[in-house]
Amino acid sequence: MPLLKKGILLPVKGVDFSIPATFVDDRVGFAVNMRYDKGELRKRPGKTVVGGQTPNGDQVLSFGKLEHSTGIKYLVRASKRAIQTLNPSTNVWSTISIVTFTGNDDDYFSFANVTESNLLISTNYKSAMYKWPGSGNQALLGGTPPKAKFLAYLSPYLLAAYTDDGVSVEPWRIAWSDTDAPEVWTGGNSGEALISDEASPIQNIAKLNEFVAVYKRDSLVLGRKVDPPDIFRFETIKSGIGLASSRGFADAIGQHYFMGQNDFYVWNGIRIESIGGPVREYVFSRIDRSKINRCFALHVQELTEIWFFLVISGNEFPTEVWKYNYNLGWWYQDSCDRITAGIKWESASWLVWDDAVGTWDAQQIAWDDATIISNWEEIQLGTYDGYSAKVDYTTVNDRGVAVSARFDSKDFVADSMEISERWLQVDVWAKGPGKLYVDYSTDFGSNWINIPYQSSQAYVSLDSVMTKYEWYFDIWAEHIRFRFRNAESSETFYLQNFYPYYVAREEVRTYRS
């Protein structure tokens, strides 16, 4: 009988754990550490260290940025004992805190950029609020601001939430400064409100268009500016849905994407919609609930993606990144090495010819790619061991360590799940530079068998141009899936499409009575 072909064309439509792999669309696959780019799947970019370690090697807890009205921008990072700022021309982190903070590994800092005053305000609830104007060291914020876990700036007011004013601790309280006066907390238009219609504590606050979004553990509240004497009026928009991790949300084009207790959502201030359907049960069944506050989210605008960094059971810090493309509604999965915080900020430098490492074919970007030019926002990530690393489009290694990337196909059946077929060949259109390993599984991915290439070696060394490669094997199976992988240092691979071939056998499986 003639060979029959299953034609599979990329792009891949993201992952889908909500239905069995034999029933998902042929273009749905399970990619880890892969990126869809210009009609091809490829290994994702790597990361390179920026500057030195934090004092004492403490984990990076938080990032903040100060943007002056003059357009000058500054990046800061916080560990549990110090706050530092980056000199982008020298890649040196300098300590600007005037005290040694006394928090622990879960006392995250919150930052607010008060643009009219050209100040970056910081708090970690354990200490008083501090201000920084972009030079010199921090100073205590003037007036009588409360200690607070969370800060937000909704012009012209600085807001603080989950506060301790020295008289009482209120997990439901929001306080705000006087108009255009972040160092005046009594009199004028300063004030406070209790958000206590349900008992869960405030998890964070953030600007949402012209409103302030108040995230509680079990509800969503919206704050509106109103005329004096109230200044702010707060309304519960939704009960039963809240924020699971205080940093588990990101602002993207006027909407917030956030991580609830058992699902992912998007909220525009009025309507809340679930977005986690294809991955919800798989992801939330594996999260370590005791460390859920170490999860966080980041908006990557150029990819139209929200990245959720998650702590999986058995780990101390995030080791998986679940990426949601809000233009397409698709999910992708990456791994990461205990990333603790992240931010987007404007890069002050760009790649030049002499800085490139390796051959032309080894570069992971085009020379006119917006991700490497000056004034582009780069992704800065904090690590468990006190370093900052940027997503670097010129490498495929994570801080010098090889990235393990793979794409798993769905389970293919020839004509019916009751019929075993003889699978003989898979053709792959791919390029490097790097090795490509191809495996198959006939037990839904529990076990994998390598398909040797034509010379009986475990892999093929890919050409630098898109080329068709043919793997031959001989297996009877009712269903089969394929894996394409590379875990080699400084190597990559691009996958364009693949075709499995089979010969039909007219034999229906007999079920035992």
Side-chain angles (χ1 to χ4, degrees), residues 162-187:
Y162 198 127
T163 63
D164 177 359
D165 61 4
V167 178
S168 63
V169 174
E170 293 287 359
W172 315 283
R173 182 166 52 203
I174 295 178
W176 56 89
S177 67
D178 194 11
T179 309
D180 282 324
E183 298 186 86
V184 177
W185 291 81
T186 57

Side-chain angles (χ1 to χ4, degrees), residues 340-496:
T340 58
I343 197 171
K344 291 289 299 298
W345 90 295
E346 188 174 291
S347 175
S349 61
W350 61 95
L351 184 71
V352 296
W353 288 96
D354 291 340
D355 292 334
V357 177
T359 65
W360 170 272
D361 291 330
Q363 303 309 309
Q364 302 304 304
I365 41 81
W367 288 106
D368 59 352
D369 197 321
T371 56
I372 63 168
I373 63 175
S374 179
N375 299 324
W376 184 258
E377 285 193 335
E378 69 183 21
I379 305 167
Q380 284 269 355
L381 301 171
T383 67
Y384 74 100
D385 54 355
Y387 287 97
S388 298
K390 70 175 181 179
V391 173
D392 189 343
Y393 289 84
T394 68
T395 181
V396 290
N397 296 330
D398 279 348
R399 296 202 288 165
V401 177
V403 170
S404 178
R406 71 176 191 267
F407 170 71
D408 294 356
S409 75
K410 63 163 284 181
D411 282 308
F412 294 104
V413 295
D415 300 306
S416 170
M417 290 189 65
E418 290 81 18
I419 300 177
S420 290
E421 308 292 357
R422 186 180 183 185
W423 299 88
L424 296 173
Q425 180 179 338
V426 60
D427 294 348
V428 182
W429 277 257
K431 69 176 181 178
K435 304 178 187 69
L436 178 62
Y437 296 77
V438 178
D439 312 314
Y440 72 85
S441 173
T442 58
D443 56 5
F444 304 105
S446 296
N447 296 281
W448 293 91
I449 299 173
N450 176 252
I451 307 174
Y453 194 57
Q454 293 171 353
S455 59
S456 296
Q457 63 186 14
Y459 59 85
V460 62
S461 294
L462 297 172
D463 202 342
S464 58
V465 297
M466 194 61 65
T467 304
K468 176 185 175 183
Y469 298 90
E470 299 174 351
W471 274 262
Y472 299 101
F473 56 102
D474 194 343
I475 183 73
W476 288 93
E478 294 179 358
H479 49 80
I480 190 169
R481 69 174 64 174
F482 297 93
R483 170 174 288 178
F484 310 91
R485 59 184 171 91
N486 175 287
E488 307 291 335
S489 179
S490 302
E491 291 187 2
T492 190
F493 73 97
Y494 296 71
L495 182 64
Q496 193 174 77

Side-chain angles (χ1 to χ4, degrees), residues 35 44-50 63 65 75 86 93 296-309 321 323 334 336 339-349 370-373 375-383 387-393 395 398-399:
R35 174 188 174 193
R44 66 157 170 81
K47 306 178 188 72
T48 54
V49 171
V50 177
F63 286 99
K65 59 182 176 182
L75 177 68
L86 177 69
W93 291 95
F296 68 95
L298 182 64
H299 177 213
V300 182
Q301 184 173 2
E302 65 272 20
L303 301 178
T304 64
E305 290 179 351
I306 309 298
W307 293 4
F308 292 94
F309 291 77
V321 191
K323 300 180 176 182
D334 280 3
C336 63
I339 298 298
T340 58
I343 197 171
K344 291 289 299 298
W345 90 295
E346 188 174 291
S347 175
S349 61
T371 56
I372 63 168
I373 63 175
N375 299 324
W376 184 258
E377 285 193 335
E378 69 183 21
I379 305 167
Q380 284 269 355
L381 301 171
T383 67
Y387 287 97
S388 298
K390 70 175 181 179
V391 173
D392 189 343
Y393 289 84
T395 181
D398 279 348
R399 296 202 288 165

Side-chain angles (χ1 to χ4, degrees), residues 277-295:
V279 302
R280 178 181 58 243
E281 291 185 11
Y282 178 76
V283 169
F284 283 90
S285 66
R286 300 165 57 246
I287 290 176
D288 188 333
R289 300 286 172 160
S290 69
K291 299 180 180 64
I292 201 167
N293 214 40
R294 296 184 176 184
C295 303

